[in-house]
Amino acid sequence: DAKTTQPPSMDCAEGRAANLPCNHSTISGNEYVYWYRQIHSQGPQYIIHGLKNNETNEMASLIITEDRKSSTLILPHATLRDTAVYYCIVRVGRAGGTSYGKLTFGQGTILTVHP
Amino acid sequence: DGGITQSPKYLFRKEGQNVTLSCEQNLNHDAMYWYRQDPGQGLRLIYYSQIVNDFQKGDIAEGYSVSREKKESFPLTVTSAQKNPTAFYLCASSIVDQPQHFGDGTRLSIL
């Protein structure tokens, strides 16, 4: 699975949009971009994923560049409860081989939302 | 409500003892996974199972064992061969090619 690079930490004011970048310059054509977050002492929570088109759900939006080498997770109106570690993960979408199911978590970005 | 249940939330083990962590899901997911997380680190895959009675080693399987006798259950045993077992253990499940969903974890400590 491709390696990702994220800034170690970011701050955001409550009510403003939080834009979390992720670099995945070695991504392959069959690899998806996944975003999870982890609040302290809890299990990771799935946020969103995409292949090449931009995606939006009730939690966030995912913007993937045309060359797919980077992406941005957008939390449109951040709240204090969005303070967490955010992980950007690239993995093969189809089952098979040793990559099946494996999520390779890096260090992630610590997002702090302040009043 | 459907979900993944890990128990217990906190677990203590004496040196030289085996201990089993429970993971149950009622999401009807085919695949289940075990991860380990150390302080300030990301998750690392221990074992995963795609179907009942079948499982594969992940990146750090040494000192661990699993079984998958039922679709709903994927217990993890931390054996005495695991030299540094103190960690936060997370179980996840998914259907093929879909996102994994995680339980709330078990924190294992050595007495």
Side-chain angles (χ1 to χ4, degrees), chain B residues 88-107:
Chain B
F88 188 40
Y89 290 88
L90 288 153
C91 178
S93 71
S94 75
I95 56 177
V96 174
D97 290 351
Q98 293 301 309
Q100 294 177 24
H101 295 273
F102 287 81
D104 281 335
T106 292
R107 197 167 296 276

Side-chain angles (χ1 to χ4, degrees), chain B residues 3-4 15 18 29-30 32 35 42 48-49 54 56 60 66 70 76 83 91-92 94 97 109 111:
Chain B
I4 300 171
E15 292 277 359
N18 294 351
H29 286 174
D30 292 313
M32 297 187 73
Y35 292 86
Y48 64 97
S49 167
D54 185 56
Q56 286 79 39
I60 55 167
V66 294
K70 298 187 300 181
L76 173 74
K83 298 305 179 187
C91 178
S94 75
D97 290 351
S109 299
L111 296 177

